[in-house]
Amino acid sequence: MQNSWRFLIIHLTLLLALLLNVMPLPAAVKLFRPDWPLLVLCYWVLALPNRTSIGTAFVLGFLVDVMVGTVLGVNAFGYSLICFIVAANHLKIRNFSVLQQSLLFGLLLALYHLVVFWFSHFLTGVYFRAAYLWPVATGMIVWPYLFWFLRRTRRQFKIQ
């Protein structure tokens, strides 16, 4: 019973991130919204790679596709790619300081946005704007706070 409750906490944080991703915001602020589901998922892959996997990333990305209304599979592929990179290098990334992790996740978020743009460009014909990369900057700013919050949650509920 305890294990299932602890496993549920991971999914509740991912659900909360999905809700933050579709929460209505003013148009001026909407451009700066960080990629909450991807950041939370990256934390769980970094902290517990045996609990969250690329399959979880694909399902979460597919849910983001459905909720946001993009072409199905674009975010799922992007989430899976980033989570594969994080899972493959989780032991190295854990040794970085939080600020170094923030810079690294900034690069990974930029890669994610460029992959999503690339697929969207070939599938629907959108054109690149520099505003697509604002969530990268806000994701880098938010990462240390999200990291500390989720670490505290993980330790408080003894999720292993």
Side-chain angles (χ1 to χ4, degrees):
M1 183 67 182
Q2 283 287 357
N3 256 349
S4 63
W5 172 252
R6 292 176 184 153
F7 191 64
L8 183 65
I9 296 293
I10 295 172
H11 291 289
L12 286 175
T13 58
L14 292 172
L15 179 65
L16 179 65
L18 280 174
L19 292 175
L20 286 173
N21 199 39
V22 295
M23 183 175 64
L25 292 173
V29 179
K30 194 174 192 177
L31 289 173
F32 300 101
R33 179 191 321 223
D35 298 309
W36 293 110
L38 184 58
L39 288 170
V40 171
L41 186 65
C42 282
Y43 172 79
W44 288 117
V45 169
L46 185 64
L48 301 170
N50 57 343
R51 291 276 186 180
T52 52
S53 64
I54 299 169
T56 308
F58 187 83
V59 169
L60 190 68
F62 191 77
L63 288 172
V64 169
D65 284 330
V66 170
M67 292 172 81
V68 175
T70 57
V71 177
L72 291 180
V74 171
N75 285 311
F77 176 76
Y79 280 25
S80 300
L81 176 69
I82 298 305
C83 285
F84 171 74
I85 293 170
V86 172
N89 299 304
H90 74 280
L91 293 175
K92 293 176 189 172
I93 298 171
R94 281 184 190 173
N95 290 324
F96 294 162
S97 71
V98 177
L99 294 177
Q100 290 172 331
Q101 286 179 8
S102 180
L103 292 173
L104 177 68
F105 281 110
L107 290 174
L108 290 174
L109 287 170
L111 174 66
Y112 162 73
H113 280 282
L114 292 175
V115 165
V116 167
F117 164 73
W118 184 69
F119 275 118
S120 298
H121 176 71
F122 285 116
L123 294 173
T124 61
V126 285
Y127 293 102
F128 185 78
R129 296 181 319 167
Y132 287 148
L133 297 178
W134 278 117
V136 173
T138 57
M140 288 173 56
I141 294 168
V142 164
W143 173 255
Y145 303 106
L146 184 70
F147 177 83
W148 288 319
F149 172 74
L150 289 174
R151 175 185 267 184
R152 182 173 179 219
T153 303
R154 181 173 59 93
R155 289 181 176 173
Q156 183 179 2
F157 289 104
K158 297 181 177 83
I159 301 171
Q160 297 177 11

